[in-house]
Amino acid sequence: MTNQSENRQQTLSQLIKIAHQFQPRAKINEIKQHGSGNINSTYLVIAEQPFILQRLNTKVFCQPKLVMDNICILSEHVQEAIKELNLEPNQGWLMPKVLLTQYQQHHYLGEDGSFWRGISYVENSLSFDTIQNLHHAQEVGFGLGMFHRLLDNLPVESLADTLVGFHITPQYLKQYQQVFGESEFTASREIQYCTQFISDRPKLPYVLEAAKGSGKLKLRIIHGDPKINNIMIDRSSHKAVAMIDLDTVKPGLIHYDIGDCLRSGCNPLGEETEDWSEVYFEPKLAAAILKGYLNVARDFLTPEDYDYIFDSIRLLAFELGLRFFTDYLAGNVYFSVSHSEHNLARALVQFKLTESIEQQEVTIKKIINSLR
């Protein structure tokens, strides 16, 4: 029977073998886990040219080749769009590059069928799980705005929808109702809070999809997961320089991105806090993020786009809470967890955040209107 040290060594040797598929002659000094994502397994390969090695979760991304096709199309388009922009000298923008195997493939299939890819590492940069200060908040907004601006003229039909239903909140509500009806659980105080919270907001899940259906909002290319830790900040200039984790890029409403960015950025306690009752939405951070975003996004937003910004912030916090709670009731089958109650705790954080957003509706709408 092998001991833990031998198991770790075997895992390391396997990772080195896979990493060499993307850099065959690289002298690899170290491979270590990287980031705090809940879906894929991510490693930083320390070599002369460091790069990111990722194993895609094919249960979530059931069409991984299409995911990589999207990223390659996106990368080519952004590289050209960057050349056309007259950016400030200290505001460069980078597009992480897909590394090809020796057979010119954008992915590698492991012997066990696992799906791997290599992505260039954005050096001299770092990301944060919570906003550090108002300058950081403005750069996060700028980063998302720059991403949307670079993709504004990429036709939505250029990319495949690899996550059909992703960010379609009415579908998450339907899934919750089905799981809830089939679940057996003890109705604790926390569970009662979640179920009541959802039932008290019957119209909220439909707000953005209804606007799309009526033609008030249009489909564009979105990031899909613009949490603040997916926006890289340069160590020297402290400017946003790249967006990473592009698996969820697809046609959608940019409001899903705007709402998700503000949801994650304006919660000073962070998504993993255990003090869920103390969670609150910070309007000053929202003002800074929106200012940074609109500095580059103002040209392509419509009056209707502004009208639905508040709704997007409220909805995305609610939506993630709904997804976490549903996954908890289903037995934690989607999001990675460290304990059985983890997704319930996450849901409580998001619902408390939604509550705080609702309580500050007047303040948040004043901020949005002042920036129109």
Side-chain angles (χ1 to χ4, degrees), residues 189-197 348 351-352 355:
R189 180 175 66 90
E190 291 79 10
I191 290 176
Q192 288 177 338
Y193 172 86
C194 290
T195 55
Q196 188 65 48
F197 196 90
L348 291 165
F351 287 151
K352 190 66 177 179
E355 191 175 274

Side-chain angles (χ1 to χ4, degrees), residues 169-228:
T169 320
Q171 293 190 25
Y172 292 130
L173 178 63
K174 185 176 180 180
Q175 182 184 5
Y176 158 73
Q177 291 168 339
Q178 180 179 347
V179 170
F180 181 81
E182 297 172 351
S183 301
E184 295 182 6
F185 54 85
T186 302
S188 65
R189 180 175 66 90
E190 291 79 10
I191 290 176
Q192 288 177 338
Y193 172 86
C194 290
T195 55
Q196 188 65 48
F197 196 90
I198 295 167
S199 65
D200 285 345
R201 291 157 179 81
K203 296 181 180 180
L204 178 57
Y206 302 92
V207 60
L208 292 186
E209 288 303 303
K212 181 179 72 175
S214 65
K216 294 178 181 178
L217 300 178
K218 66 175 184 178
L219 288 177
R220 296 179 171 104
I221 301 298
I222 65 171
H223 182 281
D225 188 25
K227 300 190 300 291
I228 61 172

Side-chain angles (χ1 to χ4, degrees), residues 287-299:
I289 291 173
L290 284 170
K291 181 180 179 182
Y293 179 80
L294 294 171
N295 280 343
V296 282
R298 188 172 278 112
D299 291 346

Side-chain angles (χ1 to χ4, degrees), residues 214-256:
S214 65
K216 294 178 181 178
L217 300 178
K218 66 175 184 178
L219 288 177
R220 296 179 171 104
I221 301 298
I222 65 171
H223 182 281
D225 188 25
K227 300 190 300 291
I228 61 172
N229 59 13
N230 282 336
I231 298 173
M232 304 303 296
I233 305 296
D234 185 83
R235 291 178 184 271
S236 303
S237 68
H238 307 294
K239 298 278 190 178
V241 292
M243 284 198 75
I244 60 171
D245 280 1
L246 304 175
D247 302 322
T248 50
V249 167
K250 55 169 280 182
L253 298 176
I254 60 170
H255 290 73
Y256 289 122

